[in-house]
Amino acid sequence: INEMRRLFAETMQAKAPDHDFSFINSGRGMFAFSGLGGEQVDQLRDKYSIYMVRNGRINVAGMSTDSMDRLCTAIATVL
């Protein structure tokens, strides 16, 4: 889970360099707050079939190295 947090933060920083994602690394556990709002979460669901709680909480344990690029690219487009 910690490795996925690190990869998620690094990939997001590469995809959206104008935003700070260091807070993702400081969290613990299998969930993280992405910083996304409800409308952004709705766009991820509707356009990219990426699901998370509407308050932006995402399941880090459900991430994989294979899906990280797609996930982060989609998130970067809704920021």
Side-chain angles (χ1 to χ4, degrees):
I1 291 176
N2 289 334
E3 177 62 21
M4 283 299 105
R5 278 184 178 277
R6 184 194 60 74
L7 182 60
F8 182 40
E10 286 179 2
T11 307
M12 282 307 309
Q13 198 62 55
K15 301 279 183 183
D18 294 338
H19 298 278
D20 178 20
F21 296 98
S22 60
F23 65 91
I24 294 170
N25 281 327
S26 62
R28 296 288 174 253
M30 60 188 281
F31 294 98
F33 282 98
S34 63
L36 299 174
E39 290 181 17
Q40 293 165 316
V41 171
D42 292 345
Q43 289 176 27
L44 287 173
R45 181 194 62 229
D46 296 342
K47 293 180 182 178
Y48 303 100
S49 300
I50 294 173
Y51 298 89
M52 66 182 75
V53 180
R54 200 157 190 274
N55 67 3
R57 188 178 69 149
I58 191 166
N59 183 349
V60 178
M63 296 177 183
S64 71
T65 55
D66 292 338
S67 65
M68 192 63 68
D69 187 68
R70 178 183 173 279
L71 170 66
C72 294
T73 298
I75 291 173
T77 64
V78 302
L79 287 177

